Amino acid sequence: MLGIAGKGVARGGVNASRIRSQSLLLASKGYSSTAKQMTVRDALNSALDEEMSADPKVFIMGEEVGEYQGAYKITKGLLDKYGPDRVVDTPITEAGFTGIGVGAAYHGLRPVVEFMTFNFSMQAIDHIINSAAKSNYMSAGQISVPIVFRGPNGAAAGVGAQHSQCYAAWYSSCPGLKVLAPYSSEDARGLLKAAIRDPDPVVFLENELLYGESFPVSAEVLDSSFSLPIGKAKIELEGKDVTITAFSKMVGFALKAAEILAKEGISAEVINLRSIRPLDRSTINASVRKTNRLVTVEEGFPQHGVGAEICASVVEDSFEYLDAPVERISGSDVPTPYAANLERMAFPQIEDIVRAAKRACYRSVPMAATA
């Protein structure tokens, strides 16, 4: 993953080719090799801090966001700076504090509701869907609901079936919601700022395993006015042979797969979706019309997934450009196992993406030939 850029180079014995290849990798992703490094955790924290400073209507609430400074330290330092009226520790009642947040948004405030994990948002899904997502439409535009629901989403490590689900497809199927899924520090900072400023409810899906990853960020990204457009994907790596779409942690896997494929003469274009709803169909279809092949990658369940929607969009809009069947890589259609070896088998790995891209490019060896 690009997170390797955040790990210091070991002293001594480092060959020049490795340094050069890392610089080329960063440049290929549109980053400067001399840019400042920032973790995803710090990117989220700084975005919250700056938006709270800029707008007194912004406040954050959730379990342990104040005194404990957040279960993952995303809200570190905010209680001391803004006080308990704007950094609100809540009881363990997602339905209760989510309803309070929606009510506050009805009255013009801009709540940021933190779920310790999005699995717990199931306790509050009635407020997210029925109270937040539908109110603007049902009130003929009279009621805006400027609220952000944020927290870690998807699989972590060894936390079992009830704490490992990806909710991207769940929430992106609902009209009235916007659903964002950052990968890098630039994504986290720019998209969270955009979400807080947006007049509509936004579901902001982070990833626990990315919080500690470091990414290069430019001076533009560090500017307090910086934000990213909702509904626009980013081409992380340009290519000509196959399009690979991914979001959140899977973008890193897709980039690593692209490195492996490049060594075998396959040029992969990697698209970081960033926004799940609205989905940037034009960027995806334009890429497929160039490469003529598509591989979608996600951690969620296969049925009715984000990848299924992308495949449907490409078949509807760009079918005549396809030179191979579309390939979907997703989590297994089972509740997430607890055992580490089974858990690894339940989620996409880099080698799965490589194999799918090879199949799409007709570069895989038929099983009959290996018998």
Side-chain angles (χ1 to χ4, degrees), residues 185-266:
S185 300
E186 177 182 316
D187 292 354
R189 191 170 152 78
L191 291 174
L192 184 54
K193 282 174 164 285
I196 293 171
R197 298 172 190 176
D198 200 86
D200 297 312
V202 178
V203 170
F204 196 84
L205 303 173
E206 302 157 12
N207 187 284
E208 176 186 340
L209 299 180
L210 287 177
Y211 284 149
E213 291 283 346
S214 292
F215 295 85
V217 290
S218 66
E220 177 190 3
V221 172
L222 294 173
D223 190 277
S224 61
S225 64
F226 175 75
S227 71
L228 289 170
I230 293 175
K232 184 64 179 173
K234 178 187 179 185
I235 297 177
E236 293 278 355
L237 182 67
E238 292 191 357
K240 60 183 178 63
D241 294 328
V242 59
T243 297
I244 303 175
T245 66
F247 61 93
S248 191
K249 188 179 73 169
M250 289 293 106
V251 176
F253 280 34
L255 289 169
K256 291 295 289 185
E259 288 182 54
I260 296 169
L261 290 166
K263 294 175 183 176
E264 302 189 29
I266 297 175

Side-chain angles (χ1 to χ4, degrees), residues 270-282:
V270 177
I271 298 178
N272 172 6
L273 296 176
R274 284 181 167 172
S275 177
I276 311 302
R277 183 184 184 105
L279 187 64
D280 189 355
R281 299 173 192 272
S282 60

Side-chain angles (χ1 to χ4, degrees), residues 115-347:
F115 296 117
M116 196 175 290
T117 159
F118 254 93
N119 297 276
F120 300 155
S121 75
M122 296 294 287
Q123 301 292 327
I125 198 165
D126 179 55
H127 286 304
I128 297 170
I129 303 299
N130 287 324
S131 302
K134 299 177 182 178
S135 291
N136 185 264
Y137 177 84
M138 294 180 70
S139 68
Q142 296 180 75
I143 299 176
S144 292
V145 192
I147 187 171
V148 177
F149 306 102
R150 55 154 295 271
N153 170 70
V159 292
Q162 303 99 320
H163 301 83
S164 301
Q165 297 176 119
C166 175
Y167 287 90
W170 292 57
Y171 287 117
S172 65
S173 68
C174 181
L177 287 178
K178 295 174 182 176
V179 182
L180 306 178
Y183 161 60
S184 65
S185 300
E186 177 182 316
D187 292 354
R189 191 170 152 78
L191 291 174
L192 184 54
K193 282 174 164 285
I196 293 171
R197 298 172 190 176
D198 200 86
D200 297 312
V202 178
V203 170
F204 196 84
L205 303 173
E206 302 157 12
N207 187 284
E208 176 186 340
L209 299 180
L210 287 177
Y211 284 149
E213 291 283 346
S214 292
F215 295 85
V217 290
S218 66
E220 177 190 3
V221 172
L222 294 173
D223 190 277
S224 61
S225 64
F226 175 75
S227 71
L228 289 170
I230 293 175
K232 184 64 179 173
K234 178 187 179 185
I235 297 177
E236 293 278 355
L237 182 67
E238 292 191 357
K240 60 183 178 63
D241 294 328
V242 59
T243 297
I244 303 175
T245 66
F247 61 93
S248 191
K249 188 179 73 169
M250 289 293 106
V251 176
F253 280 34
L255 289 169
K256 291 295 289 185
E259 288 182 54
I260 296 169
L261 290 166
K263 294 175 183 176
E264 302 189 29
I266 297 175
S267 173
E269 181 149 294
V270 177
I271 298 178
N272 172 6
L273 296 176
R274 284 181 167 172
S275 177
I276 311 302
R277 183 184 184 105
L279 187 64
D280 189 355
R281 299 173 192 272
S282 60
T283 293
I284 296 168
N285 277 281
S287 177
V288 170
R289 292 182 182 195
K290 178 177 70 171
T291 66
N292 310 115
R293 296 170 178 86
L294 172 66
V295 176
T296 70
V297 187
E298 66 185 306
E299 285 187 302
F301 299 129
Q303 186 157 323
H304 311 305
V306 175
E309 179 62 26
I310 292 171
C311 290
S313 175
V314 168
V315 168
E316 289 168 357
D317 298 334
S318 304
F319 179 74
E320 65 272 24
Y321 290 87
L322 289 172
D323 287 343
V326 295
E327 294 275 352
R328 279 194 303 150
I329 304 298
S330 69
S332 298
D333 199 19
V334 296
T336 302
Y338 176 74
N341 59 331
L342 297 178
E343 182 183 62
R344 187 181 190 280
M345 293 172 65
F347 293 106

